[in-house]
């Protein structure tokens, strides 16, 4: 995030029952990118739980999601934010 180079991160929760339909993204053990995610259990990527984090606070990486999932999440968040900006 400008101007400091912080990262915008979203929460990940195993409390899948808290999912916001058409916004949050479930990540299930049967998904192709689940093992690469480094998660221990099926989880929910919470687009409504955002924060900025300084690079100095990042201790490492446990895993990643597929480029397709990442793009889908960015598109969904961008669409939501664009909708907030409309009069």
């Amino acid at each position: 995030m400008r101007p400091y180079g912080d990262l915008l991160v979203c929460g990940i929760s195993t409390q899948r029952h808290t999912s916001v339909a058409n916004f949050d993204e479930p990540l299930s053990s049967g998904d192709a990118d689940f093992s690469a995610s480094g998660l221990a259990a099926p989880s929910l990527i919470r687009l409504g739980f955002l924060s900025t984090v300084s690079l100095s606070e990042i201790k490492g990486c446990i895993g990643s999601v597929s480029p397709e999932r990442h793009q889908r999440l960015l598109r969904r968040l961008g669409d939501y934010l664009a909708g907030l900006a409309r009069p």
Side-chain angles (χ1 to χ4, degrees), residues 6-62:
D6 294 342
L7 299 175
L8 178 64
V9 298
C10 59
I12 298 176
S13 173
T14 58
Q15 302 299 310
R16 293 171 41 129
H17 66 277
T18 63
S19 178
V20 176
N22 302 313
F23 196 56
D24 292 335
E25 174 104 3
L27 188 57
S28 301
S29 56
D31 292 344
D33 58 347
F34 181 79
S35 61
S37 74
L39 297 172
S43 299
L44 184 65
I45 300 172
R46 303 280 318 275
L47 282 179
F49 185 40
L50 300 175
S51 184
T52 55
V53 178
S54 169
L55 279 173
S56 64
E57 295 180 58
I58 302 296
K59 305 296 184 214
C61 177
I62 65 165

Side-chain angles (χ1 to χ4, degrees), residues 62-81:
I62 65 165
S64 63
V65 296
S66 70
E68 296 82 14
R69 186 184 304 271
H70 183 235
Q71 285 303 308
R72 187 169 56 246
L73 288 162
L74 289 174
R75 188 171 38 256
R76 194 176 300 151
L77 180 60
D79 290 349
Y80 173 76
L81 293 173

